[in-house]
Amino acid sequence: MKKLALHWQILLGMVLGVVFALIFTNLDWGAKFIGDWIKPFGTIFINALKLIAIPLILAALIKGIADLKDISSLSKMGIRTILTYIVTTVLAVSIGLMVVSVVQPGKAINEDTRNELVEAYGGEAEMKRQDALKQKDAGPLQALVDLVPENIFSAASSNRNMLQVIFFAVFFGIGLILIPEEKSKTVKDFFDGFNEVILKMVDLIMLAAPYGVFALLAALVVEAPSADLFAALAMYAFCVVLGLALMIGIYILLVKIFTKRSPGFFLNGIAPAQLLAFSTSSSAATLPVTMERVTEHLGVEEEVSSFVLPIGATINMDGTSLYQAVAAVFIAQAFGMDLSFGTQLGIIATATLASIGSAAVPGAGMVMLVGVLGYAGIPEAGLALIFAVDRPLDMCRTVVNVTGDATVSMLVAKSQGKLGEPKVKDWDDNYKKVS
Ligand code: ASP
């Protein structure tokens, strides 16, 4: 029998996880059973993915930069990457603002619902606000200071420090380009082999993906808050999801226009990474799979993907910035505030910066939203309004974050003449390769 393609297997795992949890929540001991015996497998799966994120960035980036052979192609690619990332992010925020201004979901929230939400989620929202406050005390150049670690081992000991590890890897790669070939060869070969090993580990972890997402989704369903509050926020959630869907449409269009690759080719190639982004709510945890899919299935050469994707996972969050714009305006609407055109332009700028500053982990976008609210003078207590639906929306925006990174990597690869034919045409070939 022909083996089901990986994205179908993952999708099946997700659906079965939800159905399983819905059945088990009817039993007295069901939720505890899932918490004790199913959820840990989801955690193990995410941990396994996160485990290889830092070694992958190090190996892939050092190898990728060393392959570039000269500094000028690195700076050309760097500038193109950052500019394209900024353009897509600004586009995303603008779409978010447009959708939320047209649909006006905040107007549907009456005072009772508002109070109910503030009461139910005020505590959790306050915790997010405190997290944000910790980051806020910094001066204007703090982000730049944070980029340079004082110790590479302590930087590499936390997935939250990915930008620092990227800095080290780029710096190391530049050093490698600048020394004589006979000295650099051994080091390059080492990272080359190291990189291959890590990619093989990704293949192996992906064999467990359908089971991993089953466990993750079952645990999420059991822990989800009451459906009544969900209903009150349906219009808001609809706006975020509509904006995100439009953004995916834009990516498909960009890929078609600039690289002439069909939507089917693009979506088929990236689907497993999108499904994992949805299940884990973390672009960082998804990064190893995004790298594998983009390189092997979308035809982006490794020297581009290994540079563009780790940077994208940390700074390019189109889904997050779009959500922040929608959420900020929604809260303003719910509190009966009218935002001027100038404030809306400011939201574009702050949401772009906030998404760059958001860590690639679950819920990070909401912490950074505090900054956007603060800028626009919108009550931070409003965070409580959107708390109930934040997790499902986090899952959706992470899909867009990852898809945006993949899109930009294809565009940059095309502009550098580094977009070729994919090495693996479909997952089944790859599956045979590892099994
Ligand atoms: N979970 C998102 C990501 O990892 C960030 C966020 O929007 O919270 O890409």
Side-chain angles (χ1 to χ4, degrees):
M1 198 180 78
K2 194 175 175 319
K3 213 166 169 11
L4 220 51
L6 180 69
H7 54 272
W8 292 118
Q9 291 181 35
I10 297 181
L11 210 57
L12 197 64
M14 290 163 71
V15 173
L16 289 179
V18 172
V19 172
F20 181 85
L22 287 177
I23 296 172
F24 268 63
T25 39
N26 291 315
L27 307 171
D28 289 346
W29 46 272
K32 182 160 169 30
F33 176 81
I34 289 181
D36 287 349
W37 294 98
I38 306 286
K39 188 178 174 187
F41 291 102
T43 311
I44 292 173
F45 176 64
I46 296 200
N47 285 354
L49 283 169
K50 288 186 187 159
L51 171 72
I52 47 179
I54 295 271
L56 175 72
I57 291 179
L58 269 177
L61 211 52
I62 291 174
K63 174 187 155 21
I65 290 175
D67 283 348
L68 282 176
K69 301 205 172 55
D70 67 85
I71 305 285
S72 74
S73 38
L74 174 65
S75 56
K76 207 171 358 148
M77 183 159 78
I79 291 170
R80 278 181 190 163
T81 304
I82 303 285
L83 282 183
T84 323
Y85 276 151
I86 293 177
V87 170
T88 56
T89 306
V90 171
L91 205 65
V93 187
S94 311
I95 289 181
L97 279 180
M98 193 187 75
V99 172
V100 72
S101 309
V102 172
V103 181
Q104 306 210 330
K107 300 261 156 87
I109 296 275
N110 60 33
E111 208 172 317
D112 288 348
T113 318
R114 194 172 80 197
N115 293 340
E116 194 185 336
L117 286 165
V118 170
E119 202 163 295
Y121 293 101
E124 277 125 321
E126 182 55 25
M127 271 154 62
K128 292 271 173 196
R129 220 174 65 79
Q130 294 300 336
D131 282 352
L133 273 183
K134 273 183 225 145
Q135 298 179 12
K136 216 169 146 187
D137 285 338
L141 290 184
Q142 191 57 38
L144 212 58
V145 175
D146 288 343
L147 198 61
V148 186
E150 57 181 44
N151 183 313
I152 182 56
F153 295 103
S154 64
S157 69
S158 160
N159 283 350
R160 286 189 171 259
N161 293 337
M162 274 189 189
L163 269 185
Q164 298 189 338
V165 177
I166 290 173
F167 176 84
F168 174 82
V170 172
F171 202 7
F172 190 95
I174 291 174
L176 207 54
I177 295 179
L178 294 177
I179 61 172
E181 176 89 37
E182 73 268 17
K183 293 258 167 60
S184 63
K185 187 165 181 323
T186 332
V187 184
K188 273 190 206 159
D189 288 348
F190 169 77
F191 280 108
D192 215 357
F194 194 89
N195 194 31
E196 286 295 312
V197 175
I198 301 280
L199 288 178
K200 183 57 72 186
M201 287 167 78
V202 178
D203 281 348
L204 294 172
I205 294 172
M206 285 308 281
L207 294 178
Y211 309 99
V213 296
F214 172 91
L216 286 171
L217 280 231
L220 269 179
V221 170
V222 172
E223 289 163 4
S226 99
D228 296 353
L229 293 177
F230 264 57
L233 296 175
M235 283 306 268
Y236 156 70
F238 167 77
C239 284
V240 177
V241 173
L242 176 67
L244 295 175
L246 288 174
M247 205 54 213
I248 298 266
I250 289 182
Y251 295 141
I252 291 175
L253 216 63
L254 288 174
V255 167
K256 179 83 194 139
I257 294 171
F258 290 102
T259 73
K260 307 277 180 295
R261 300 292 194 272
S262 72
F265 170 86
F266 177 61
L267 291 177
N268 223 19
I270 197 65
Q274 289 176 318
L275 294 173
L276 268 196
F278 185 81
S279 313
T280 61
S281 284
S282 167
S283 333
T286 313
L287 178 64
V289 181
T290 318
M291 297 261 274
E292 198 258 357
R293 298 304 296 187
V294 164
T295 317
E296 309 252 313
H297 298 255
L298 293 179
V300 174
E301 285 188 21
E302 230 177 310
E303 44 187 89
V304 175
S305 62
S306 63
F307 178 79
V308 178
L309 292 173
I311 295 182
T314 37
I315 69 165
N316 182 52
M317 300 206 179
D318 300 344
T320 300
S321 62
L322 187 151
Y323 140 85
Q324 285 169 337
V326 175
V329 178
F330 167 75
I331 294 171
Q333 289 170 352
F335 281 93
M337 293 170 65
D338 268 328
L339 299 176
S340 68
F341 183 66
T343 311
Q344 302 214 18
L345 282 184
I347 289 181
I348 296 188
T350 42
T352 302
L353 290 175
S355 70
I356 291 175
S358 301
V361 295
M366 196 180 206
V367 175
M368 296 305 280
L369 174 61
V370 174
V372 181
L373 296 180
Y375 156 78
I378 301 166
E380 286 167 9
L383 279 188
L385 297 188
I386 55 169
F387 209 94
V389 285
D390 199 62
R391 183 59 196 236
L393 295 182
D394 191 1
M395 297 158 80
C396 300
R397 64 191 189 240
T398 309
V399 172
V400 172
N401 291 346
V402 166
T403 314
D405 299 342
T407 304
V408 173
S409 75
M410 286 186 81
L411 301 186
V412 173
K414 179 73 187 172
S415 76
Q416 301 272 116
K418 303 273 179 200
L419 187 66
E421 283 306 307
K423 290 187 211 143
V424 179
K425 291 270 166 30
D426 84 8
W427 172 258
D428 285 351
D429 301 343
N430 202 26
Y431 179 80
K432 280 192 205 103
K433 229 172 56 191
V434 295
S435 53

